Amino acid sequence: MVANLAEETKKLSRDISLGLVGSMSMISIVYCLMALALTMMVKYSEVDVNAAYSVAFEGIGMNWAKYLVGICALEGMTTSMLVGLMGQSRYTTQIARAHMIPPWFALVHPKMGTPIYATLLTTVTSCILALFTSLDVLSSVFSFSTLSIFMLMAVALLVRRYYVTDVTLKYDLVKFLLCLFVVIGSSIGATVLWSTDEKGWVGYAVTGSFWLFGTLGMALLPNQRLPKVWGVPLVPWIPSLSIGMNIFLIGSLGKAAFYRLIQINKSPLLKREKKVPIKCYSWTKGSPVH
């Protein structure tokens, strides 16, 4: 979400790096402290999946705390919704600038300096979807989409670092693609083993070894493009680890998430039964061109 606001920062190289590192560090620390506090109140196998902290506080006699947890949870969901809409509106602005949707949605408010029409579009659309869609369906589809985007961003980072058009040798390109295929394939293999409740360690050792050798193979390749100001450290290890973790989390969503995503993406891929000829008009003569 921080990276989506890169265009609105005063000093890009400083603000985005501090924002990413600072926000992720604080979130990780708070998350670990909350998990530690929860497991100190109740055994991890007895945690209520629907209301973990409320039931835990009630179990130790602090009934008043469950109401405070409810208020904080409501505030957190509201904040998450507003932050999500803010990031999504920036996506919509870039899509409008590419003329994939009407460029009117890319207009920026002259006083506020924010994409007002893109914000209204995403807000209204999100409210309509939330009103007529079940929460578990939305959460699974959005989780699948978000994790897929994170995985593709890691892949794009590797491609950008190790491939440059008309510069990278064909031999190096083949080795890079082979290593990338091994990393993705081994991550999928480990996810399948986990989903099938594999008890032995041999399968995980094999898939982990393939992942390690695939990442090591990319590390031995020459870098075709280096960041000028700041960039992701420990490439390709961190992007490769991100690919594996996101594929694993996608696999943990269950079969229903895959079916829902296929159903949602099926309609744009359906072909029209009746093809209608489209007339295009020339900008100079105004005559129709078939």
Side-chain angles (χ1 to χ4, degrees):
M1 198 60 62
V2 176
N4 295 334
L5 303 176
E7 190 176 342
E8 303 172 45
T9 57
K10 293 182 178 181
K11 190 175 181 181
L12 179 63
S13 59
R14 180 198 63 187
D15 297 340
I16 293 299
S17 57
L18 290 177
L20 288 173
V21 175
S23 61
M24 292 302 298
S25 300
M26 288 189 295
I27 291 172
S28 300
I29 293 173
V30 172
Y31 187 89
C32 292
L33 291 176
M34 291 183 64
L36 178 62
L38 180 63
T39 53
M40 291 178 67
M41 290 188 294
V42 62
K43 191 176 180 181
Y44 76 94
S45 58
E46 300 176 358
V47 173
D48 192 293
V49 296
N50 296 317
Y53 287 92
S54 297
V55 175
F57 280 118
E58 188 176 5
I60 62 175
M62 299 177 62
N63 294 328
W64 59 270
K66 65 180 182 180
Y67 300 106
L68 181 61
V69 170
I71 295 174
C72 294
L74 181 61
E75 180 67 22
M77 288 187 289
T78 305
T79 305
S80 300
M81 181 184 66
L82 293 176
V83 172
L85 291 174
M86 181 176 64
Q88 186 60 42
S89 63
R90 273 62 182 178
Y91 286 133
T92 308
T93 302
Q94 297 300 325
I95 295 173
R97 288 176 179 174
H99 287 209
M100 299 178 66
I101 60 176
W104 182 73
F105 290 107
L107 297 179
V108 177
H109 194 277
K111 183 178 180 180
M112 301 297 180
T114 56
I116 179 172
Y117 300 116
T119 303
L120 291 174
L121 175 64
T122 54
T123 302
V124 173
T125 305
S126 300
C127 291
I128 294 175
L129 288 175
L131 183 62
F132 295 101
T133 310
S134 176
L135 181 60
D136 60 337
V137 175
L138 285 176
S139 61
S140 64
V141 172
F142 286 164
S143 298
F144 196 111
S145 303
T146 303
L147 293 172
S148 299
I149 292 173
F150 289 164
M151 182 199 67
L152 293 176
M153 287 298 295
V155 173
L157 175 62
L158 293 174
V159 172
R160 181 174 176 80
R161 187 66 64 91
Y162 291 104
Y163 175 72
V164 177
T165 306
D166 299 329
V167 175
T168 306
L169 299 177
K170 185 177 181 180
Y171 180 67
D172 290 335
L173 176 61
V174 172
K175 289 194 296 184
F176 167 70
L177 293 177
L178 179 61
C179 293
L180 183 60
F181 175 79
V182 170
V183 169
I184 296 176
S186 60
S187 302
I188 295 175
T191 304
V192 171
L193 291 175
W194 178 269
S195 301
T196 55
D197 295 330
E198 179 65 28
K199 301 299 182 181
W201 57 270
V202 178
Y204 296 105
V206 172
T207 54
S209 300
F210 273 104
W211 178 90
L212 180 62
F213 286 120
T215 307
L216 181 61
M218 282 190 286
L220 298 176
L221 293 174
N223 288 328
Q224 302 295 335
R225 185 186 285 112
L226 295 175
K228 296 181 179 179
V229 181
W230 60 274
V232 177
L234 299 177
V235 176
W237 298 100
I238 291 181
S240 182
L241 182 62
S242 176
I243 292 173
M245 292 177 63
N246 284 292
I247 290 178
F248 177 80
L249 292 174
I250 289 174
S252 65
L253 294 176
K255 297 180 181 179
F258 288 87
Y259 295 149
R260 289 163 181 166
L261 192 70
I262 292 173
Q263 291 296 328
I264 290 175
N265 294 318
K266 185 187 296 184
S267 54
L269 300 177
L270 294 178
K271 295 182 178 179
R272 292 180 298 178
E273 296 181 359
K274 182 179 180 181
K275 295 183 178 181
V276 180
I278 301 176
K279 294 183 179 181
C280 299
Y281 289 86
S282 172
W283 287 97
T284 55
K285 299 181 179 179
S287 57
V289 180
H290 295 276

